[in-house]
Amino acid sequence: MTELKLYCTIATQSVVEILMPRFEAEHGTKIAVVWGTAPQLVKRLQHDESGDVLLLNRAGIDAMMGVHRLAPESVTPIASSATAVAVRQGAAPPDISSEAALKRSLQAARAISYSHPDNGGASGIYFAKLLDRWGLREAIDAKTTFPPPAGLCAQYLPTGEVEFAIQQGPELLQVPGVEIVGPLPGDLNFVTHFVAGIETQSRQAALAKAFIELLVSPEAKALFRDKGLDPA
């Protein structure tokens, strides 16, 4: 049996996990997946690891293109998602209608969760920069529960450990019992674009191409919408 090695960002994991069994059955192959944030995956790829298909954020794909790791004609936009705020299902949502309202809600919250920027997640890096800009980083971090690397911030909502969580929408929705309040307001809205490509050294280029074609199929587009992403 052939094997297709996939490096895949956790933001698209909920969709890819649904598509994998069908692809494996139709093509008589096994998909070996390495999950992680895009920066974590890029770091591994830069340290002598390699795959067939890379599904990363745009910055990760650009980094791999910069060192000629990807076949240019294979690079394909897949989906995008916004950084959002979520609460436990049925809980009163914080006011995030404006930048000032978001700041007030953060200051009033008992506890929140967002991804630690040192772990490389796009939403965590962005949100930490916002806190720095507002001069709130120390105060907010003191009441923040950070998930482990590539972890889900929303896991702390159903238990009541935190009042709200900030992460990319599809990552928040991977946790049952939570609901999205909305994206960050106005000019603070932050969208991450996810792109796939085939490694130049891949010995499974035809199979890799078929997998990327599945990622942009009508079925996949419907799944991306259902999981909180906007298909390309």
Side-chain angles (χ1 to χ4, degrees):
M1 179 179 286
T2 59
E3 180 178 277
L4 186 74
K5 190 166 185 182
L6 168 67
Y7 282 75
C8 186
T9 174
I10 57 171
T12 60
Q13 182 173 350
S14 58
V15 173
V16 172
E17 284 183 327
I18 294 172
L19 294 172
M20 281 171 50
R22 169 188 153 182
F23 186 85
E24 290 175 329
E26 288 184 356
H27 293 270
T29 191
K30 176 69 176 176
I31 300 177
V33 192
V34 180
W35 306 107
T37 65
Q40 288 172 336
L41 297 176
V42 169
K43 187 174 182 179
R44 293 180 63 163
L45 290 162
Q46 290 172 334
H47 288 80
D48 300 323
E49 293 189 30
S50 62
D52 297 299
V53 178
L54 310 185
L55 178 48
L56 309 172
N57 62 17
R58 170 57 75 178
I61 290 294
D62 288 346
M64 293 293 97
M65 286 288 289
V67 291
H68 311 291
R69 288 281 295 271
L70 295 174
E73 69 280 2
S74 74
V75 174
T76 306
I78 302 298
S80 62
S81 72
T83 295
V85 176
V87 296
R88 185 182 73 252
Q89 201 163 43
D95 184 0
I96 61 168
S97 59
S98 66
E99 180 173 344
L102 176 60
K103 288 166 67 175
R104 287 194 298 270
S105 293
L106 286 167
Q107 291 171 301
R110 172 181 51 81
I112 72 159
S113 181
Y114 76 95
S115 299
H116 198 290
D118 289 350
N119 292 335
S123 65
I125 293 170
Y126 176 72
F127 194 68
K129 288 179 179 178
L130 277 185
L131 295 177
D132 284 334
R133 192 177 87 191
W134 295 334
L136 296 176
R137 177 80 176 274
E138 184 176 353
I140 299 303
D141 278 6
K143 56 183 180 180
T144 295
T145 299
F146 294 107
L152 300 174
C153 298
Q155 67 183 301
Y156 306 112
L157 290 171
T159 62
E161 291 176 68
V162 303
E163 292 179 36
F164 60 94
I166 301 99
Q167 201 170 22
Q168 292 188 53
E171 295 168 356
L172 294 169
L173 290 174
Q174 288 184 43
V175 178
V178 307
E179 56 188 46
I180 300 290
V181 178
L184 300 182
D187 292 340
L188 302 184
N189 189 31
F190 179 69
V191 176
T192 302
H193 296 268
F194 302 103
V195 183
I198 301 171
E199 286 232 49
T200 53
Q201 55 72 48
S202 173
R203 296 182 179 180
Q204 302 291 346
L207 202 58
K209 184 175 184 290
F211 185 73
I212 292 176
E213 288 172 349
L214 175 61
L215 292 174
V216 295
S217 67
E219 176 192 359
K221 288 177 184 289
L223 286 170
F224 279 121
R225 291 190 189 95
D226 184 58
K227 299 298 183 180
L229 293 103
D230 294 317

